Amino acid sequence: MIIADSQHWFLSFLDAIPSADQIRITTSLKSQRGSVWTKNKSVFEHWEIEVTFRVTGRGRIGADGLAIWFTEEQGLEGPVFGAADKWNGVGIFFDSFDNDGKKNNPGVVVVGNNGRLLYDHQNDGSTQALAYCQRDFRNKPYPVRAKITYYQKLLTVLINNGFTPDKEDYEFCAKVEDMVLPPQGYFGISAATGGLADDHDVLSFLTFQLTEPGKEVPTPDAEIPQKDKEKYQEEFEHFQQELDKKKEEFQKEHPDVQGQPADDLFETVSDRELRQIFEGQNRIHLEIKQLNRQLNMILDEQRRYVSAVTDEFARRAGVPDQQGQISQQEIDRVVKTQEEVLRQVNDMRSSMADTLRLVSGAQHPGSAAGVYETTQHFNDIKEHLHVVKRDIEHLVQRNMPSNEKSKCPDLPPFPSCLSTMHFFVFVAVQTVLFVGYIMYRSQQEAAAKKFF
């Protein structure tokens, strides 16, 4: 059972800038630090938090990153993504900059501390990491979401990569077993920039209490005294009034920009083209996955064919036959069959190369017509794969033994339909098929890293 905790109120420090719909932890300026922490300690034994944030910047790479905290004491300003070192609790770090040069950033690092350890910045915390996953969370079309759950000493981190508007489209990132955290602590978010800079914006921070089935759920109202509630409400209203006052002053000082926020409700041409590009890339990604599944099916059929032919050769090898030598016509027919299979594989490789070139071209801004042509090309490739599949099935059926075809004569005293030359030709063909498949998978993974 899950209960939303609505009684957490936030304090901001240093360069954090609050607004009506988000908090900018740091702006895209060099050497900025900011953090936001809960005023009250969480008394939940088991909990779950959902954080929605954006990390945006103009550069190809950013720095330094953003951190989500659960610590025994409220954090202060410091060198660890804007918060103090030697914390007692856990930090989940969204690290943007590659300090150790291993080309594994941006990434998500889970680091625990008992209050006595210093964070290893030079190695991006790899020497202290309890869990890690590589995820690119910068400059996404939709806000990135992180769901962090701590239940019965098990800490799990799920990430929504920000490529789709589906809020529940989470994927597994990291898990830490036997994690012992303080029974009570503060939640917080911090961020920092260095020589490079990004905007780090937090859109929402939700905390939930997790309870075991059958246990009585404490009422959230009993956790905070009424006096404190009234005090917090008073502070919030005061802050809201100050914010409205500053908005009015800004409008008076800048009368030429009045009415512009309403224009943000409409989609501009550049925003529409950018959205179409991301949607097109998502469709391309799904089509490549489908092509991969179809190629795996073709390879499975080829393996079954190889297994069936091998079993048939092995069976015939043990049966003597006095009918004479293998005819040259049978040898030529087998060689032609293998040449036809190789030709079909080369056609598939050429189609994959054309596909990768189209995918590379999809990164540049373009109109919806380009996306349509790319989708149409993938449909043509799918039809071509179906034709290849039918051709391979036809070849398999044509080469499989049947009652109507003449049986291959056996040679005494070593009767077999499989000569040494046939065996080596067959092994060479299968090797070519396997190498082609490996090349295709490598190109696909390189293209996926390039887009996402």
Side-chain angles (χ1 to χ4, degrees):
M1 186 174 183
I2 299 175
I3 297 179
D5 177 23
S6 60
Q7 302 301 328
H8 280 84
W9 297 76
F10 292 88
L11 286 171
S12 61
F13 298 100
L14 296 174
D15 299 317
I17 303 174
S19 65
D21 55 351
Q22 68 179 32
I23 297 178
R24 175 153 292 178
I25 308 297
T26 62
T27 57
S28 53
L29 298 174
K30 295 182 179 180
S31 303
Q32 298 286 300
R33 292 178 180 179
S35 63
V36 177
W37 295 84
T38 57
K39 279 188 174 181
N40 293 15
K41 275 191 174 182
S42 170
V43 295
F44 302 158
E45 181 181 3
H46 306 129
W47 45 263
E48 180 179 273
I49 59 175
E50 295 181 7
V51 186
T52 306
F53 63 91
R54 286 183 184 271
V55 179
T56 54
R58 296 184 178 181
R60 185 176 60 86
I61 56 177
D64 283 331
L66 178 142
I68 301 174
W69 302 91
F70 178 78
T71 58
E72 187 176 19
E73 298 297 332
Q74 196 175 68
L76 302 176
E77 184 268 340
V80 185
F81 298 95
D85 212 334
K86 294 186 178 181
W87 69 91
N88 183 14
V90 64
I92 296 90
F93 304 149
F94 293 80
D95 193 348
S96 305
F97 189 73
D98 191 7
N99 289 288
D100 55 6
K102 294 183 178 179
K103 301 185 183 300
N104 55 357
N105 292 80
V108 182
V109 188
V110 180
V111 178
N113 200 333
N114 57 5
R116 296 190 295 270
L117 301 178
L118 292 174
Y119 182 63
D120 186 5
H121 267 291
Q122 296 302 320
N123 295 309
D124 288 330
S126 59
T127 59
Q128 303 164 331
L130 302 177
Y132 170 84
C133 73
Q134 188 170 357
R135 293 290 185 276
D136 187 2
F137 47 82
R138 297 182 67 247
N139 296 326
K140 297 307 177 186
Y142 300 97
V144 177
R145 296 176 179 272
K147 180 183 288 187
I148 303 166
T149 304
Y150 180 69
Y151 185 74
Q152 294 183 350
K153 297 183 179 181
L154 176 64
L155 183 77
T156 57
V157 181
L158 305 178
I159 302 295
N160 183 324
N161 57 18
F163 276 108
T164 64
D166 185 4
K167 297 180 180 180
E168 298 301 323
D169 186 17
Y170 286 100
E171 59 183 16
F172 176 79
C173 173
K175 178 176 68 174
V176 181
E177 298 180 349
D178 296 327
M179 184 91 182
V180 179
L181 295 178
Q184 298 182 10
Y186 295 92
F187 290 106
I189 302 178
S190 67
T193 62
L196 300 174
D198 280 334
D199 287 325
H200 298 89
D201 300 323
V202 177
L203 282 67
S204 68
F205 190 105
L206 302 177
T207 61
F208 302 89
Q209 178 183 6
L210 305 180
T211 59
E212 297 181 9
K215 284 192 175 182
E216 184 178 355
V217 181
T219 58
D221 294 335
E223 296 176 5
I224 299 180
Q226 186 64 29
K227 287 185 178 180
D228 291 341
K229 288 184 184 179
E230 294 175 356
K231 178 183 175 183
Y232 296 150
Q233 184 66 27
E234 226 177 90
E235 291 179 1
F236 176 76
E237 291 176 355
H238 177 70
F239 166 76
Q240 192 68 34
Q241 291 173 1
E242 290 292 330
L243 184 61
D244 294 339
K245 184 178 178 181
K246 289 181 179 180
K247 286 182 178 179
E248 292 177 359
E249 292 176 355
F250 179 81
Q251 291 178 356
K252 290 178 181 178
E253 294 174 359
H254 304 83
D256 53 330
V257 298
Q258 289 187 4
Q260 285 189 4
D263 297 336
D264 297 338
L265 300 175
F266 301 96
E267 187 178 37
T268 63
V269 176
S270 59
D271 290 341
R272 182 172 64 254
E273 290 182 352
L274 184 62
R275 177 177 56 80
Q276 289 174 348
I277 289 172
F278 278 111
E279 290 176 354
Q281 288 182 345
N282 285 334
R283 287 197 295 269
I284 290 172
H285 183 61
L286 294 176
E287 291 292 344
I288 289 177
K289 282 186 176 180
Q290 187 174 358
L291 287 175
N292 185 32
R293 288 194 295 268
Q294 291 178 351
L295 284 174
N296 288 336
M297 292 174 59
I298 293 175
L299 288 174
D300 290 340
E301 292 179 2
Q302 186 70 10
R303 292 190 190 99
R304 287 196 295 269
Y305 167 68
V306 172
S307 177
V309 172
T310 304
D311 293 342
E312 182 65 20
F313 285 157
R315 184 180 64 81
R316 292 189 179 187
V319 179
D321 197 318
Q322 306 295 332
Q323 294 183 5
Q325 299 289 334
I326 300 175
S327 64
Q328 184 65 32
Q329 183 180 3
E330 291 292 328
I331 295 175
D332 294 340
R333 184 167 62 84
V334 172
V335 172
K336 288 180 180 179
T337 300
Q338 300 300 333
E339 290 177 350
E340 189 172 354
V341 172
L342 282 174
R343 182 178 59 81
Q344 296 288 355
V345 171
N346 289 331
D347 291 341
M348 292 168 61
R349 290 179 59 188
S350 299
S351 298
M352 289 298 104
D354 294 339
T355 301
L356 290 174
R357 283 195 295 272
L358 285 173
V359 168
S360 299
Q363 297 180 75
H364 304 288
S367 62
V371 177
Y372 174 78
E373 291 176 1
T374 304
T375 306
Q376 185 66 30
H377 183 73
F378 274 107
N379 293 333
D380 295 340
I381 292 176
K382 288 169 61 179
E383 293 179 2
H384 179 70
L385 287 175
H386 287 301
V387 173
V388 173
K389 180 180 176 182
R390 288 196 298 269
D391 291 343
I392 291 178
E393 291 177 351
H394 177 70
L395 292 174
V396 172
Q397 294 176 0
R398 190 176 69 181
N399 288 281
M400 289 298 291
S402 62
N403 296 330
E404 297 178 358
K405 293 184 180 180
S406 59
K407 295 184 178 179
C408 182
D410 299 326
L411 294 176
F414 301 98
S416 175
C417 286
L418 176 64
S419 66
T420 303
M421 182 185 69
H422 291 166
F423 177 76
F424 282 110
V425 168
F426 187 79
V427 170
V429 170
Q430 298 306 315
T431 304
V432 171
L433 289 173
F434 181 75
V435 171
Y437 176 70
I438 293 300
M439 292 175 63
Y440 160 73
R441 289 298 295 269
S442 300
Q443 292 175 349
Q444 182 185 13
E445 291 177 359
K449 290 179 180 179
K450 188 174 182 181
F451 307 141
F452 305 101

